[in-house]
Amino acid sequence: MHQGARGELLSRLAEAVTSITVAHPARVAVDGPPATGKTTLADELAAVLRDRGRDVIRATIDDFLFPRARRYPRGEYSAEGCYFDTHDYEALNRVLLDPLGPGGDRRYRHAVYDHETDTVSSPPIATAAPDAVLVLDGVFLMRPELLDRWDLRVFVSTAPEKTVDRAVVRESRVSSQADIERRWRERYIPAQQLYFATARPTDHADFVVHNDDPRNPVWVTRES
Protein backbone atom coordinates (compact mmCIF):
# COMPACT_ATOMS: atom_id res chain seq x y z
CA MET A 1 0.00 0.00 0.00
CA HIS A 2 1.21 3.50 -0.83
CA GLN A 3 1.04 5.93 2.08
CA GLY A 4 0.93 9.72 2.32
CA ALA A 5 0.95 11.96 -0.72
CA ARG A 6 1.82 9.10 -3.10
CA GLY A 7 -1.16 7.06 -1.97
CA GLU A 8 -3.43 10.08 -2.15
CA LEU A 9 -2.30 10.86 -5.70
CA LEU A 10 -2.94 7.28 -6.85
CA SER A 11 -6.36 7.32 -5.19
CA ARG A 12 -7.24 10.62 -6.89
CA LEU A 13 -6.10 9.30 -10.27
CA ALA A 14 -8.08 6.08 -9.83
CA GLU A 15 -11.18 8.10 -8.89
CA ALA A 16 -10.70 10.26 -11.99
CA VAL A 17 -10.57 7.10 -14.12
CA THR A 18 -13.70 5.74 -12.41
CA SER A 19 -15.57 8.97 -13.15
CA ILE A 20 -14.93 8.76 -16.92
CA THR A 21 -18.28 8.09 -18.59
CA VAL A 22 -17.67 6.82 -22.11
CA ALA A 23 -19.25 3.92 -24.00
CA HIS A 24 -15.86 2.35 -24.72
CA PRO A 25 -12.67 1.50 -22.78
CA ALA A 26 -11.15 4.51 -20.98
CA ARG A 27 -7.82 5.60 -22.49
CA VAL A 28 -5.37 7.16 -20.02
CA ALA A 29 -2.15 8.91 -21.11
CA VAL A 30 0.75 9.19 -18.65
CA ASP A 31 3.02 11.65 -20.46
CA GLY A 32 6.28 13.30 -19.45
CA PRO A 33 9.98 13.65 -20.28
CA PRO A 34 12.31 10.65 -19.95
CA ALA A 35 13.33 9.69 -16.39
CA THR A 36 10.56 11.63 -14.62
CA GLY A 37 8.97 8.48 -13.16
CA LYS A 38 5.98 8.20 -15.48
CA THR A 39 6.41 4.44 -16.10
CA THR A 40 6.45 3.75 -12.35
CA LEU A 41 3.38 5.94 -11.84
CA ALA A 42 1.55 4.20 -14.69
CA ASP A 43 2.42 0.76 -13.25
CA GLU A 44 1.19 1.81 -9.81
CA LEU A 45 -2.03 3.29 -11.19
CA ALA A 46 -2.68 0.07 -13.14
CA ALA A 47 -2.22 -1.96 -9.93
CA VAL A 48 -4.65 0.28 -8.00
CA LEU A 49 -7.25 0.01 -10.76
CA ARG A 50 -6.90 -3.79 -10.85
CA ASP A 51 -7.33 -3.89 -7.07
CA ARG A 52 -10.59 -2.00 -7.63
CA GLY A 53 -11.76 -4.65 -10.05
CA ARG A 54 -10.99 -2.97 -13.37
CA ASP A 55 -9.59 -4.82 -16.37
CA VAL A 56 -6.39 -2.90 -17.27
CA ILE A 57 -4.46 -2.89 -20.54
CA ARG A 58 -0.93 -1.65 -19.82
CA ALA A 59 1.03 -0.31 -22.79
CA THR A 60 4.00 1.96 -23.53
CA ILE A 61 5.02 4.21 -26.40
CA ASP A 62 8.34 2.33 -26.50
CA ASP A 63 6.47 -0.55 -28.15
CA PHE A 64 5.49 1.82 -30.99
CA LEU A 65 8.97 2.87 -32.08
CA PHE A 66 10.07 2.80 -35.68
CA PRO A 67 12.93 0.31 -36.24
CA ARG A 68 16.31 1.81 -35.44
CA ALA A 69 17.38 2.30 -39.08
CA ARG A 70 14.41 4.63 -39.56
CA ARG A 71 14.75 6.53 -36.26
CA TYR A 72 18.04 8.38 -36.83
CA PRO A 73 18.05 10.01 -40.30
CA ARG A 74 18.97 13.34 -38.63
CA GLY A 75 21.66 11.78 -36.43
CA GLU A 76 21.77 10.10 -33.04
CA TYR A 77 21.77 13.31 -31.00
CA SER A 78 19.17 15.26 -33.00
CA ALA A 79 16.34 16.78 -30.95
CA GLU A 80 14.20 17.14 -34.10
CA GLY A 81 14.84 13.48 -34.85
CA CYS A 82 13.74 12.55 -31.35
CA TYR A 83 10.48 14.45 -31.78
CA PHE A 84 9.62 13.73 -35.42
CA ASP A 85 11.24 10.41 -36.40
CA THR A 86 10.98 8.11 -33.38
CA HIS A 87 7.42 6.86 -32.89
CA ASP A 88 4.83 5.35 -35.23
CA TYR A 89 1.75 7.36 -34.21
CA GLU A 90 -0.26 6.19 -37.20
CA ALA A 91 0.17 2.57 -36.06
CA LEU A 92 -0.56 3.50 -32.42
CA ASN A 93 -3.88 5.04 -33.44
CA ARG A 94 -4.73 2.26 -35.89
CA VAL A 95 -4.05 -0.81 -33.74
CA LEU A 96 -4.64 0.47 -30.19
CA LEU A 97 -6.21 3.87 -29.55
CA ASP A 98 -8.89 3.87 -32.24
CA PRO A 99 -10.11 0.28 -31.70
CA LEU A 100 -10.61 1.18 -28.02
CA GLY A 101 -12.26 4.52 -28.86
CA PRO A 102 -15.72 5.66 -30.00
CA GLY A 103 -17.03 3.32 -32.69
CA GLY A 104 -14.06 0.94 -32.29
CA ASP A 105 -14.49 -2.84 -32.19
CA ARG A 106 -12.26 -3.20 -29.06
CA ARG A 107 -9.95 -5.58 -30.95
CA TYR A 108 -6.44 -4.24 -30.36
CA ARG A 109 -2.71 -4.91 -30.36
CA HIS A 110 -0.59 -3.47 -27.54
CA ALA A 111 2.65 -3.27 -29.62
CA VAL A 112 4.08 -3.03 -33.14
CA TYR A 113 7.78 -3.08 -32.25
CA ASP A 114 10.12 -5.30 -30.21
CA HIS A 115 13.00 -3.21 -28.86
CA GLU A 116 14.88 -6.35 -27.69
CA THR A 117 15.31 -7.48 -31.29
CA ASP A 118 14.75 -4.11 -33.08
CA THR A 119 12.13 -5.71 -35.30
CA VAL A 120 8.49 -5.20 -36.18
CA SER A 121 6.26 -7.03 -33.71
CA SER A 122 2.78 -8.41 -34.31
CA PRO A 123 1.33 -9.81 -31.07
CA PRO A 124 -2.01 -11.61 -31.27
CA ILE A 125 -5.11 -9.43 -31.44
CA ALA A 126 -6.90 -9.23 -28.08
CA THR A 127 -10.43 -8.02 -27.31
CA ALA A 128 -10.90 -5.48 -24.53
CA ALA A 129 -13.81 -5.60 -22.11
CA PRO A 130 -16.22 -2.68 -22.63
CA ASP A 131 -15.21 -1.16 -19.26
CA ALA A 132 -11.47 -1.87 -19.58
CA VAL A 133 -8.89 0.86 -18.93
CA LEU A 134 -5.87 1.45 -21.14
CA VAL A 135 -2.96 2.99 -19.22
CA LEU A 136 -0.26 4.06 -21.69
CA ASP A 137 2.94 5.83 -20.68
CA GLY A 138 5.45 7.61 -22.85
CA VAL A 139 6.90 10.83 -24.19
CA PHE A 140 5.01 13.29 -26.43
CA LEU A 141 1.55 11.78 -25.83
CA MET A 142 -0.27 15.12 -26.10
CA ARG A 143 0.99 16.05 -29.52
CA PRO A 144 -1.68 16.86 -32.13
CA GLU A 145 -1.76 13.36 -33.68
CA LEU A 146 -2.85 11.85 -30.36
CA LEU A 147 -4.45 14.61 -28.31
CA ASP A 148 -8.12 13.82 -28.93
CA ARG A 149 -7.63 10.07 -28.33
CA TRP A 150 -7.30 10.37 -24.53
CA ASP A 151 -10.10 10.24 -21.96
CA LEU A 152 -7.72 11.26 -19.12
CA ARG A 153 -4.38 13.03 -19.52
CA VAL A 154 -1.63 12.97 -16.87
CA PHE A 155 1.67 14.83 -17.26
CA VAL A 156 4.60 13.87 -14.99
CA SER A 157 7.23 16.55 -14.52
CA THR A 158 10.56 17.00 -12.71
CA ALA A 159 13.35 19.56 -12.86
CA PRO A 160 15.45 18.80 -15.99
CA GLU A 161 18.65 18.39 -13.95
CA LYS A 162 16.95 15.69 -11.90
CA THR A 163 16.16 13.71 -15.05
CA VAL A 164 19.83 13.82 -16.09
CA ASP A 165 20.92 12.59 -12.67
CA ARG A 166 18.34 9.79 -12.71
CA ALA A 167 19.33 8.78 -16.23
CA VAL A 168 23.01 8.49 -15.24
CA VAL A 169 22.03 6.17 -12.36
CA ARG A 170 19.57 4.18 -14.47
CA GLU A 171 21.69 3.71 -17.60
CA SER A 172 25.26 3.62 -16.27
CA ARG A 173 25.46 -0.14 -16.86
CA VAL A 174 25.00 0.26 -20.61
CA SER A 175 26.40 3.73 -21.42
CA SER A 176 29.15 6.03 -20.22
CA GLN A 177 28.17 9.04 -18.12
CA ALA A 178 29.50 11.35 -20.84
CA ASP A 179 27.33 9.71 -23.51
CA ILE A 180 24.23 9.74 -21.27
CA GLU A 181 24.71 13.41 -20.44
CA ARG A 182 25.30 14.32 -24.09
CA ARG A 183 22.19 12.42 -25.20
CA TRP A 184 20.12 14.21 -22.57
CA ARG A 185 21.47 17.71 -23.19
CA GLU A 186 21.52 17.54 -27.00
CA ARG A 187 18.60 15.22 -27.78
CA TYR A 188 16.07 14.58 -25.01
CA ILE A 189 15.84 17.91 -23.20
CA PRO A 190 15.77 20.03 -26.41
CA ALA A 191 13.17 17.62 -27.86
CA GLN A 192 10.98 18.29 -24.83
CA GLN A 193 11.50 22.04 -25.31
CA LEU A 194 10.35 21.63 -28.92
CA TYR A 195 7.33 19.63 -27.71
CA PHE A 196 6.39 22.30 -25.15
CA ALA A 197 6.75 25.07 -27.71
CA THR A 198 4.58 23.34 -30.31
CA ALA A 199 2.07 21.22 -28.33
CA ARG A 200 1.90 22.87 -24.86
CA PRO A 201 1.18 19.54 -23.14
CA THR A 202 0.58 20.89 -19.63
CA ASP A 203 -2.23 23.09 -21.01
CA HIS A 204 -4.07 19.91 -21.97
CA ALA A 205 -3.31 17.76 -18.91
CA ASP A 206 -6.06 16.88 -16.42
CA PHE A 207 -3.34 16.26 -13.81
CA VAL A 208 0.18 17.72 -13.74
CA VAL A 209 2.30 15.74 -11.27
CA HIS A 210 5.51 17.34 -9.97
CA ASN A 211 7.56 14.25 -9.18
CA ASP A 212 10.89 15.64 -7.91
CA ASP A 213 10.35 13.63 -4.71
CA PRO A 214 8.42 10.51 -5.78
CA ARG A 215 7.33 9.76 -2.19
CA ASN A 216 5.85 13.25 -1.90
CA PRO A 217 4.54 14.24 -5.32
CA VAL A 218 2.72 17.54 -5.70
CA TRP A 219 -0.04 17.74 -8.27
CA VAL A 220 -2.47 20.21 -9.75
CA THR A 221 -5.66 19.40 -11.59
CA ARG A 222 -7.19 21.32 -14.43
CA GLU A 223 -10.05 22.40 -12.13
CA SER A 224 -7.63 23.82 -9.56
Side-chain angles (χ1 to χ4, degrees):
M1 278 294 294
H2 293 279
Q3 304 296 324
R6 187 84 182 175
E8 188 184 339
L9 170 63
L10 289 164
S11 180
R12 289 285 302 279
L13 289 171
E15 285 160 17
V17 172
T18 303
S19 70
I20 295 169
T21 53
V22 289
H24 55 80
R27 300 163 299 173
V28 179
V30 183
D31 187 11
T36 53
K38 61 189 176 298
T39 302
T40 301
L41 182 65
D43 286 342
E44 291 171 349
L45 175 59
V48 170
L49 291 168
R50 287 181 180 123
D51 286 345
R52 296 183 177 202
R54 295 297 288 270
D55 204 353
V56 178
I57 301 159
R58 185 69 182 87
T60 175
I61 197 69
D62 290 343
D63 292 332
F64 290 87
L65 292 168
F66 287 120
R68 185 175 175 82
R70 189 170 165 185
R71 290 205 302 271
Y72 296 104
R74 303 172 209 242
E76 199 154 330
Y77 296 98
S78 166
E80 289 81 6
C82 183
Y83 189 59
F84 291 113
D85 306 326
T86 302
H87 301 101
D88 190 344
Y89 300 110
E90 189 273 330
L92 174 62
N93 283 332
R94 187 181 73 251
V95 309
L96 183 59
L97 298 182
D98 290 348
L100 300 182
D105 61 7
R106 304 199 314 274
R107 290 166 48 80
Y108 71 92
R109 285 196 171 100
H110 70 273
V112 297
Y113 173 79
D114 182 343
H115 59 86
E116 298 281 319
T117 56
D118 187 38
T119 54
V120 171
S121 172
S122 189
I125 292 174
T127 302
D131 65 343
V133 181
L134 169 69
V135 178
L136 189 145
D137 75 280
V139 293
F140 311 140
L141 297 185
M142 295 182 217
R143 55 191 294 156
E145 301 95 316
L146 305 178
L147 186 60
D148 64 350
R149 264 53 177 214
W150 308 115
D151 304 299
L152 186 73
R153 305 181 188 115
V154 181
F155 190 89
V156 185
S157 167
T158 65
E161 286 308 313
K162 266 209 178 343
T163 68
V164 178
D165 294 343
R166 289 178 186 177
V168 168
V169 171
R170 188 175 74 181
E171 299 176 22
S172 57
R173 289 192 304 276
V174 291
S175 299
S176 71
Q177 180 169 339
D179 183 63
I180 296 165
E181 290 190 356
R182 182 180 177 197
R183 191 173 299 278
W184 241 254
R185 296 190 194 290
E186 293 185 25
R187 183 173 172 87
Y188 295 148
I189 291 175
Q192 286 291 323
Q193 290 166 340
L194 175 61
Y195 176 42
F196 266 76
T198 56
R200 302 194 314 279
T202 53
D203 290 1
H204 303 293
D206 300 295
F207 285 78
V208 176
V209 178
H210 300 284
N211 202 39
D212 290 294
D213 178 357
R215 287 165 303 184
N216 292 292
V218 177
W219 65 92
V220 292
T221 61
R222 203 195 293 236
E223 294 76 47
S224 65

